[in-house]
Amino acid sequence: MSEAVQDLGPDIDPRIFDSEEFQKDPFPVYKALRDHHPIFHDRFHNRWIISRYWDVDGAFQDSDSFDRAMYKPDGPYDFGSRHIFGPNILEYGNSDEHRRLRNITAGQFIGQKLQDFIPMIHQISDEVIDQFIDDGEVELVKQFASQVPIRVISNMLGFPREDEDTFVEWYQLLIAGLGFGGEHLERGLQARNDMWDYIDPMITERTKNPGEDLLSRLCVAELAGSRMSREEVKGFVALLLAAGGDTTEKAIANMWYHLLYTRPDQLQDVVDNADLWENVFTEMMRYDPVVHAQFRYTTREIPIHNDVIPERAGVILYLGAGNRDERAFNDPDTFDIHRDDLHMGRENRSGRYKDKKNGHLGFGIGQHFCMGYSMARQESAIACSKLAARIKKPKVKFGEHPGISSPSIDSGGFRSPDELWMEFGQ
Amino acid sequence: MKVKIDKDKCYMSGECYYNHPELFEMGEDGYPVVLVDDINDDAMRKHADEAIEVCPAVAISIET
């Protein structure tokens, strides 16, 4: 009897999910969820929460039962035309439309097509580093992490270099709009419209005379004779700023944060061996990934852990919690770039690996697995190794750091430090 | 015609089974399992051809 009572574990007050404390350090709550409430009915927010590694994996794999978009009684999906990115791949749940858009675009970010852009990533990284290398110190978020990915995207799209700073400005306004709402959102939408006006004639031109740039490739890419419409190309470019730019920016900042503050004893290992930057990327994506939560809607009743999630219920998948699950990783709360129980190489959409190790859940799995996975990994590793190669004895400027946080974990807000100062010799 | 998977080349990217669930599913070990023994209609052949095209490991082939 006493054991059964103990199994219920500590109650979780669902208001914790809205607290600042949770945005900063959600991990104790994640552990309470995994250990005592593997399926948690959060009546306050009207949703269900899944937190164990294999349960999160199972929900990602079963996208027929856990749909990314809400479906309507009379039609497939419920999403408005007012969405900030316009028509885009993220809003089409499990439909053929999603598969079509994904297959047209995904191929642009892997394999040889990605390799075509690698020399440019090296060049942009060096240009950004040139701006602060003589200072002996750098604020990594503003001067480094937030500069590289967006300039890379601008060049991938084939925008003229003299327009690059304007493009960076649109990016910052759009991202601020997504993060803060209100008047920021108004300015963000204006920036998006300015960008759409800017690329509209380019789409016409490059559809007629395509080059090797990404915008041309998006205009003419075909799948079974089908191309993206003009509106879909515009929507995809806007999406690329947030999904490809902002995420990679946060990833780079988090990698340095963990080496400077979480495991300073492993920083020198990476400085000595640049190959280890991919391990830093992988372990960061496990230990504290940029995105912690994904939302799904059930399309049927789901029996799980002696409970039943009803049909059409909202479900939060805490991949940030699954990544810390003792059932999947030894000593999960330790950040260790030499970890031998984590698949360290390139991620698979299946979440299954030949080395039989478990992978991190940071890119999701299955139907909606991040299609920028390969680019994010390579770009982060290149930018970081370029910087490490040009500095000596990197160290923190301030002994104390307020830590990393998210504007809202449950809304998919990205986790990252606001500022990250580093000193170095040359 | 039969669809063959070369398990040495395959690295479980999952592209075949997420894109063509009519023809493939994920096996217990993560490798794809071919669901249709004998391909003899055009629709299934089209799925097979597309899967061959999107497989990043070049691990899928058709044996006649």
Side-chain angles (χ1 to χ4, degrees):
Chain A
M1 183 66 191
S2 66
E3 252 183 38
V5 171
Q6 209 174 5
D7 274 348
L8 289 172
D11 270 347
I12 292 176
D13 180 340
R15 286 173 297 185
I16 188 85
F17 298 110
D18 302 319
S19 70
E20 197 166 324
E21 176 194 346
F22 180 75
Q23 314 314 321
K24 283 177 75 84
D25 182 13
F27 298 104
V29 177
Y30 289 166
K31 183 162 174 57
L33 285 167
R34 286 192 310 265
D35 287 351
H36 303 291
H37 309 275
I39 179 69
F40 180 67
H41 186 189
D42 174 354
R43 289 180 172 83
F44 185 72
H45 298 96
N46 190 27
R47 64 189 182 178
W48 300 70
I49 295 176
I50 290 176
S51 52
R52 286 187 185 173
Y53 183 91
W54 290 110
D55 294 336
V56 173
D57 173 275
F60 274 136
Q61 298 285 3
D62 184 5
S63 54
D64 284 342
S65 306
F66 293 88
D67 202 336
R68 195 177 184 291
M70 176 90 97
Y71 65 105
K72 295 187 285 192
D74 57 342
Y77 293 111
D78 185 8
F79 54 89
S81 56
R82 293 179 297 113
H83 192 274
I84 188 161
F85 299 123
N88 80 82
I89 188 169
L90 284 185
E91 305 309 311
Y92 295 99
N94 292 337
S95 60
D96 289 344
E97 193 61 5
H98 173 266
R99 217 183 281 182
R100 180 183 79 88
L101 279 178
R102 181 172 175 120
N103 283 331
I104 290 179
T105 49
Q108 309 301 326
F109 302 95
I110 57 169
Q112 187 53 48
K113 290 198 168 150
L114 172 60
Q115 295 314 307
D116 292 348
F117 294 117
I118 296 295
M120 182 268 292
I121 297 178
H122 283 263
Q123 186 197 330
I124 301 281
S125 302
D126 268 330
E127 288 175 9
V128 169
I129 296 165
D130 285 341
Q131 300 296 314
F132 60 75
I133 191 70
D134 294 329
D135 300 346
E137 64 172 27
V138 58
E139 199 284 281
L140 285 162
V141 174
K142 196 165 172 214
Q143 292 180 269
F144 182 62
S146 71
Q147 297 296 322
V148 177
I150 190 59
R151 291 179 190 279
V152 165
I153 288 175
S154 175
N155 282 277
M156 280 178 85
L157 288 166
F159 294 163
R161 294 225 61 179
E162 60 265 28
D163 296 339
E164 197 175 305
D165 288 335
T166 309
F167 189 63
V168 172
E169 215 170 288
W170 288 332
Y171 163 74
Q172 283 160 349
L173 288 168
L174 183 60
I175 297 301
L178 288 174
F180 301 112
E183 55 177 325
H184 294 279
L185 182 57
E186 207 175 320
R187 281 200 292 268
L189 292 174
Q190 185 57 48
R192 180 205 61 189
N193 292 342
D194 290 346
M195 183 188 69
W196 280 350
D197 289 344
Y198 173 80
I199 64 173
D200 191 79
M202 284 184 174
I203 292 175
T204 308
E205 170 58 27
R206 296 187 191 186
T207 305
K208 254 188 274 171
N209 302 305
E212 282 306 302
D213 60 276
L214 179 62
L215 184 59
S216 295
R217 288 174 176 184
L218 292 172
C219 290
V220 301
E222 282 189 10
L223 182 77
S226 158
R227 289 184 181 185
M228 283 200 278
S229 70
R230 176 178 295 263
E231 296 311 310
E232 285 171 339
V233 171
K234 287 182 182 177
F236 190 80
V237 170
L239 181 67
L240 203 55
L241 300 188
D246 201 19
T247 47
T248 313
E249 162 181 340
K250 267 47 178 185
I252 292 171
N254 289 349
M255 288 161 77
W256 283 95
Y257 171 82
H258 290 304
L259 289 177
L260 289 167
Y261 286 97
T262 313
R263 279 310 289 269
D265 60 309
Q266 294 190 337
L267 175 56
Q268 194 58 42
D269 297 353
V270 186
V271 171
D272 292 341
N273 178 4
D275 291 345
L276 287 173
W277 280 109
E278 294 220 12
N279 288 37
V280 179
F281 179 85
T282 313
E283 177 65 344
M284 176 277 293
M285 288 294 278
R286 182 198 71 83
Y287 182 81
D288 195 344
V290 178
V291 176
H292 276 216
Q294 286 284 305
F295 215 79
R296 295 291 188 268
Y297 296 96
T298 54
T299 59
R300 62 175 180 87
E301 290 175 337
I302 314 278
I304 180 172
H305 294 299
N306 297 319
D307 206 336
V308 178
I309 309 177
E311 185 181 338
R312 286 167 185 267
V315 181
I316 286 238
L317 309 180
Y318 273 142
L319 45 102
N323 277 343
R324 294 284 189 106
D325 192 344
E326 299 83 351
R327 297 156 192 84
F329 299 108
N330 296 319
D331 207 3
D333 294 326
T334 300
F335 182 91
D336 181 4
I337 63 169
H338 304 299
R339 183 172 276 284
D340 65 5
D341 61 351
L342 170 67
H343 173 76
M344 283 290 178
R346 177 182 52 194
E347 292 79 4
N348 277 345
R349 194 174 172 184
S350 64
R352 303 290 181 270
Y353 299 97
K354 284 196 140 169
D355 60 17
K356 311 261 191 221
K357 293 175 184 176
N358 295 328
H360 69 77
L361 301 170
F363 284 135
I365 286 176
Q367 209 57 261
H368 300 279
F369 175 65
C370 173
M371 56 184 230
Y373 71 105
S374 189
M375 170 145 180
R377 159 179 291 272
Q378 286 200 44
E379 183 178 359
S380 302
I382 289 170
C384 292
S385 63
K386 280 270 165 189
L387 176 57
R390 292 181 63 182
I391 59 179
K392 288 205 171 63
K393 295 200 170 38
K395 61 177 173 40
V396 297
K397 183 177 179 186
F398 303 107
E400 296 284 309
H401 193 285
I404 68 180
S405 188
S406 161
S408 166
I409 286 178
D410 292 351
S411 316
F414 301 156
R415 277 178 67 78
S416 68
D418 286 338
E419 277 192 352
L420 189 59
W421 283 94
M422 177 174 78
E423 293 179 339
F424 54 86
Q426 285 175 55
Chain B
M1 287 179 288
K2 285 188 190 316
V3 175
K4 294 276 185 199
I5 308 288
D6 183 336
K7 280 199 173 186
D8 290 332
K9 286 185 186 165
C10 172
Y11 60 79
M12 311 173 187
S13 75
E15 293 302 327
C16 58
Y17 41 76
Y18 295 119
N19 283 305
H20 302 282
E22 307 82 357
L23 188 49
F24 305 91
E25 70 177 13
M26 185 201 281
E28 287 287 311
D29 54 4
Y31 288 101
V33 174
V34 182
L35 296 172
V36 182
D37 280 341
D38 195 18
I39 307 254
N40 48 22
D41 68 287
D42 288 352
M44 218 34 102
R45 175 68 199 241
K46 192 160 175 283
H47 284 302
D49 286 342
E50 280 180 20
I52 289 170
E53 201 176 318
V54 299
C55 174
V58 201
I60 308 174
S61 59
I62 289 184
E63 210 170 70
T64 46

